[in-house]
Amino acid sequence: MIKKYGFSLIALFAIILLSFCLPVNKKQQQQQAFFADTLPTALELYGSYVYQREACSNCHSLLYDSTNNHLISLDGLSNKRFSDSWHYRHIMDPAAMTIDSRMPAFPALFVKKIKNDKLLQLYLQQNNNHRSSDSAILYKKLQQQAATIAQNLQKDGIPNYNLQQKEIVALIAYLQQIPSGPQRRYKDSLWTAAIKNQMAAWDNTPLNDSSTVMRLANSNNKDTIAMGTNLFTTRICFACHGRQGEGGVGPNLTDGYWLHGSSSKQIMLLIANGIPDRGMQAFKSQLTPEEIGQLTAYIRSLKNSNPPNAKLPQGEKE
């Protein structure tokens, strides 16, 4: 019996002894490796709690379902369809980001802090094997993810009011990870194909003075400008530039000062390609070349309109 199992017992005792002899930092590395994939979901888990507490499910569903027309689907938000700053501004002032939105604002989320005890309670419900020694790692990983979102918001011009500690960041983390169901993936595939066609149309559009797009951009025609006005509103340009072009997060469009050039061609290229590192998104995947021309005509028409509460000039005088 001893001969049969002796080697196995010796090996077992050796493994146990070795585990106690591991350096502390080695054990910490093993714990961190184990939690590397699971801990970032701690912030998302807290965001899920906020989502349920605020009764968001009364108006939203997580999966695309054509039979529930009264629910607005959030399916596929993990595709980063909207930036962190878009969600931030939308939750702060829904009507500013979505025309005719009936969604209420949630100002308390920008004040309420993430509670560690609540986080631990939520996490324990998901992980019965959680040990008290793991809590520090849990909080650290949550703080890292929260800090990343806060940095993204800062890059888009949102001041950091200790946002990494606030519930709004947890809700954003949750919204950004909502997966895509099969119907959404199918719709996204069609959407991706449409985007490619749209971008190809822009890339193949001539921008010389005699081109249709350039004539639209330089037009003073009331109908052309009216179409551009509608695009400015429906494509949420006003969210950054103000409803009358007076400026906000983005620059004032009425004062004759320009950061990236004032010619029609320069304005169109800016609308089409954006400046991602400054928070200006590219619209060539969303607008036709003709629509970009109409939008440019409207922006040009704003010069010297002197709206109230205009932002101070930026850039060079035209």
Side-chain angles (χ1 to χ4, degrees), residues 116-166:
N116 286 349
D117 55 345
K118 184 62 182 180
L119 169 64
L120 188 57
Q121 177 189 347
L122 294 168
Y123 193 75
L124 286 172
Q125 293 172 359
Q126 300 289 323
N127 185 357
N128 294 327
N129 296 322
H130 181 82
R131 296 164 293 185
S132 58
S133 60
D134 298 329
S135 297
I137 302 173
L138 178 70
Y139 299 143
K140 181 179 179 180
K141 289 293 185 179
L142 178 140
Q143 290 164 1
Q144 288 174 343
Q145 187 182 9
T148 298
I149 294 176
Q151 289 169 5
N152 291 340
L153 296 174
Q154 275 191 290
K155 288 178 183 177
D156 286 349
I158 295 171
N160 185 0
Y161 302 112
N162 292 320
L163 289 175
Q164 64 272 19
Q165 301 176 13
K166 306 300 173 56

Side-chain angles (χ1 to χ4, degrees), residues 94-102 233-236 238 243:
M97 304 304 290
T98 306
I99 301 298
D100 297 328
S101 174
R102 292 180 292 176
T233 303
T234 58
R235 297 295 175 167
I236 65 170
F238 68 87
R243 290 187 178 275

